[in-house]
Amino acid sequence: MKILIVEDDHRAAKLLAAALTEIGHTPVVATDGRAALSLASAEMFDAVLLDVMLPHLDGVSVARALRERGLSTPILMLTALGDLDDRLAGLDAGADDYLVKPAEPLEIEARIKAIKRRAERTSETGVLRAGDVEVNEIKFRAVRNGRLLVLPKLEFQVLCELVRHRNSVVTRAMFYSSVWGFDFEPTTNIVESYIRRVRVQLTLNGEEDPIVTVRGVGYMMTGEG
């Protein structure tokens, strides 16, 4: 795979590039945000490994700009251990996943393949339904009874997870894994906060709330597929 590494630490970028080359990939290095945006827009990459703190243009801004330009290339944010705010900001901006630095080449490879598999699973129609709620994962579009729902990326992914498992409980752990890529439970109430935002959109015109809270477990979307 051709992988764009965006890292301003020259030594770290060189070591990561060498390790990826060793397992059969073709890395290209950019050391600032502007160069990364230019390269990712001009060339085809299988994935972008994007550091958050960069000269000229930070990683979150780069991710947002790439998505605004319509690029669907998998983006993995590189964050320091414990920087939850950086991870959330990157995911909100359009990143697909995150990795804690220093990232292991084999894990990078596995994460990229997982992102591609998820895209392939929804490539036929991408449409999911629960009652009068419909989401299209390919077009990034959600409607309720014909009314367009205005949802940023993470809220949209939360809704997709609920619709995908309609009439079944989606646990907090499932949300953490599928939406945020966490393999642990944060101490903050992230899921509750995003569910609340989704509910606002679903009931904007006074409609009945289709999301049921299963206390102590998670949430369930009601409705037929």
Side-chain angles (χ1 to χ4, degrees), residues 129-130 161-168 220-221 223-225:
R129 294 183 183 86
E161 197 68 8
L162 286 165
V163 175
R164 183 178 293 110
H165 298 280
R166 62 187 177 278
N167 299 318
S168 297
M220 178 174 66
M221 171 76 82
E224 297 302 314

Side-chain angles (χ1 to χ4, degrees), residues 11-166:
R11 183 174 180 276
K14 185 177 180 179
L15 288 172
L16 182 54
L20 287 171
T21 300
E22 190 173 335
I23 61 173
H25 301 295
T26 304
V28 176
V29 175
T31 55
D32 68 73
R34 288 177 188 167
L37 187 56
S38 177
L39 276 168
S41 300
E43 299 183 32
M44 293 292 293
F45 289 94
D46 293 291
V48 178
L49 305 181
L50 187 57
D51 193 14
V52 175
M53 301 301 294
L54 294 167
H56 306 310
L57 195 65
D58 65 82
V60 172
S61 298
V62 172
R64 183 174 293 111
L66 290 175
R67 294 306 186 226
E68 288 174 351
R69 294 181 183 188
L71 272 72
S72 58
T73 308
I75 298 175
L76 287 82
M77 300 298 296
L78 299 173
T79 69
L81 183 64
D83 281 351
L84 181 59
D85 288 343
D86 284 345
R87 299 176 194 178
L88 294 178
L91 292 168
D92 266 326
D96 297 282
D97 205 344
Y98 75 90
L99 287 162
V100 175
K101 297 194 295 185
E104 292 292 333
L106 290 176
E107 183 180 5
I108 291 170
E109 182 180 60
R111 294 287 187 99
I112 295 170
K113 287 179 178 178
I115 293 168
K116 289 179 176 291
R117 282 196 300 273
R118 288 199 298 269
E120 288 168 1
R121 282 198 296 270
T122 60
S123 63
E124 293 182 8
T125 66
V127 176
L128 303 168
R129 294 183 183 86
D132 59 1
V133 178
E134 178 181 295
V135 296
N136 188 314
E137 293 184 292
I138 295 175
K139 296 182 179 180
F140 196 77
R141 187 172 183 268
V143 297
R144 182 171 194 188
N145 199 26
R147 174 174 62 85
L148 185 66
L149 306 179
V150 181
L151 295 168
K153 180 183 176 183
L154 291 183
E155 285 90 332
F156 178 78
Q157 289 182 340
V158 166
L159 178 59
C160 285
E161 197 68 8
L162 286 165
V163 175
R164 183 178 293 110
H165 298 280
R166 62 187 177 278

